[in-house]
Amino acid sequence: METIVSGARPTGRLHLGHLHGALKNWVRLQSGYRCFFFVADWHALTTDYASPEGIEQNTLEMVMDWLSVGLDPKRCVLFRQSRIKEHAELHLLLSMITPVSWLERNPTYKEQMRELEGRDLSTYGFLGYPVLQAADIIMYKANKVPVGVDQAPHVELTREIVRRFNQVYRPIFPEPEVLLTETQKLPGLDGRKMSKSYNNAVFLSDPPKEIDQKLSRMMTDPARVTRKDPGEPLKCPAFQLHQIYCTPDEIDYVTKGCRTAGIGCLECKKIMIKHVVEELAPFQEKRAGYERRPAEVKEVLAAGNRVAQEQAAQTMSEVRNVLGL
Ligand code: TRP
Ligand code: SF4
């Protein structure tokens, strides 16, 4: 069976963007692959070294969401990066063979340098974080890495590092392939990409009433100034959610109603909101259970850490052997 590795920074509670972007994909993959999914808590420090306070709590919140949407610890290994010290050792060894120029030309690096304002990104750790990511991936000899497009350059870099390692020392690592996650970019409440930092997200754990309130306020086609003005669904951010959630009949009804001003935006959105709330209900019930028993979540992680640790120890003894260390 092929191996899959993917990680996520501990961002706390997850939202609909995460659900449709990564999580559903991960849940599907667990039946066809040997999967390792981990909390990339060291990675959080590469961009936010000055605020480590939230990491512990955000890790728990995120893992609760993982479990609630159906990641099953019997079918995948869920673990926490910082618990497996071997990642740091492999990162160090890979850093020896990684030219700085490979890191500097990384498009994601350049983009983040430009876009993440107000953070100190001039560190060694930030420049080198794709090397840490390479260590995360090859530690488990991954064949495939499910990530979004923004992360694809990192997997490409991982492949280059692997080729160099295999050539300079001995070929012990497979070259991992990107498994590109469909980036159906989910719009947030204001029409921009849904993101916690934009404050425009619907969280998976928001109570139904809050989901209703948030989505009722979601941006629509600005042409619909009053109830009498017709609109165009394809210009409406809310309608992108209809397309994910509604039945073909409902989409048809809403599309006609919008173009003829036959329905109002609130009525229109209520049709979609009902589905969102329904989809999240079983998930929220499961999550409430984990909230009552946080020890269980910690135990899941502890068990996953043990499995990852064993695999990492094996890989590292091979690596040390190959390098004569
Ligand atoms: N860098 C990824 C992110 O910011 C998280 C990550 C760390 C990751 N290590 C990984 C993803 C290994 C895939 C595989 O989202
Ligand atoms: Fe969007 Fe529906 Fe309003 Fe049309 S009627 S603009 S599709 S919310």
Side-chain angles (χ1 to χ4, degrees):
M1 208 190 252
E2 288 196 311
T3 299
I4 281 210
V5 172
S6 197
R9 293 164 182 246
T11 48
R13 295 194 300 147
L14 301 179
H15 54 61
L16 287 179
H18 295 119
L19 179 64
H20 294 282
L23 292 176
K24 284 189 169 179
N25 198 28
W26 286 13
V27 170
R28 262 195 310 273
L29 292 170
Q30 16 167 36
S31 41
Y33 296 88
R34 181 168 158 260
C35 290
F36 293 84
F37 298 123
F38 69 98
V39 181
D41 52 354
W42 278 340
H43 282 265
L45 294 170
T46 62
T47 47
D48 289 284
Y49 62 79
S51 33
E53 315 81 28
I55 291 180
E56 176 83 21
Q57 183 60 25
N58 286 342
T59 294
L60 281 181
E61 296 280 355
M62 186 166 79
V63 174
M64 265 192 245
D65 281 345
W66 283 1
L67 295 170
S68 307
V69 297
L71 286 185
D72 175 359
K74 291 196 199 71
R75 294 192 293 156
C76 62
V77 182
L78 302 175
F79 71 97
R80 187 169 170 186
Q81 181 189 36
S82 66
R83 293 298 178 266
I84 316 295
K85 311 301 178 196
E86 283 83 350
H87 286 233
E89 183 182 357
L90 187 53
H91 170 231
L92 176 80
L93 295 175
L94 296 181
S95 77
M96 306 300 174
I97 62 170
T98 306
V100 176
S101 60
W102 289 6
L103 300 172
E104 284 170 338
R105 69 163 197 234
N106 174 333
T108 305
Y109 173 73
K110 290 198 259 181
E111 184 186 310
Q112 290 191 319
M113 276 299 223
R114 257 183 282 118
E115 292 192 2
L116 295 183
E117 282 166 36
R119 292 195 220 169
D120 175 15
L121 299 181
S122 60
T123 60
Y124 177 52
F126 180 66
L127 176 66
Y129 98 79
V131 184
L132 179 58
Q133 184 158 348
D136 300 336
I137 294 169
I138 71 176
M139 185 66 83
Y140 306 95
K141 304 203 170 176
N143 306 99
K144 304 231 161 74
V145 186
V147 287
V149 267
D150 60 313
Q151 293 288 314
H154 296 159
V155 181
E156 195 44 52
L157 184 78
T158 302
R159 292 164 63 84
E160 288 176 289
I161 294 174
V162 162
R163 283 198 285 272
R164 183 171 268 220
F165 184 101
N166 287 346
Q167 205 171 15
V168 174
Y169 306 112
R170 264 202 285 130
I172 61 170
F173 291 114
E175 266 181 53
E177 278 168 42
V178 183
L179 208 62
L180 216 51
T181 309
E182 292 282 342
T183 35
Q184 190 190 39
K185 276 220 176 95
L186 207 84
L189 301 174
D190 56 3
R192 291 186 291 172
K193 177 183 172 218
M194 188 175 284
S195 158
K196 186 178 185 172
S197 54
Y198 291 160
N199 216 346
N200 66 359
V202 174
F203 293 97
L204 305 182
S205 47
D206 281 342
K209 219 175 121 195
E210 195 170 343
I211 297 176
D212 186 89
Q213 282 166 354
K214 283 184 174 176
L215 290 175
S216 295
R217 282 189 284 106
M218 184 165 180
M219 188 177 161
T220 59
D221 177 3
R224 298 211 67 181
V225 183
T226 72
R227 172 71 178 73
K228 288 197 215 84
D229 297 311
E232 174 48 56
L234 299 177
K235 292 184 187 155
C236 170
F239 186 72
Q240 294 186 46
L241 295 183
H242 288 79
Q243 286 176 307
I244 295 174
Y245 280 98
C246 292
T247 65
D249 282 352
E250 287 167 333
I251 292 189
D252 207 44
Y253 172 76
V254 161
T255 303
K256 286 194 186 109
C258 180
R259 289 181 180 150
T260 57
I263 56 170
C265 284
L266 188 60
E267 184 197 340
C268 173
K269 286 195 275 193
K270 293 282 185 193
I271 296 172
M272 166 270 285
I273 292 171
K274 182 170 151 279
H275 289 293
V276 177
V277 169
E278 268 172 20
E279 180 188 45
L280 294 180
F283 155 80
Q284 297 191 337
E285 200 181 308
K286 245 179 125 180
R287 197 182 202 277
Y290 288 117
E291 281 166 14
R292 272 181 262 115
R293 305 181 304 276
E296 204 172 299
V297 180
K298 290 186 184 163
E299 187 39 53
V300 165
L301 272 182
N305 290 343
R306 286 193 289 274
V307 177
Q309 165 72 59
E310 204 173 303
Q311 175 67 57
Q314 206 176 314
T315 301
M316 285 318 294
S317 76
E318 222 177 323
V319 168
R320 291 180 207 118
N321 205 3
V322 161
L323 275 100
L325 294 168

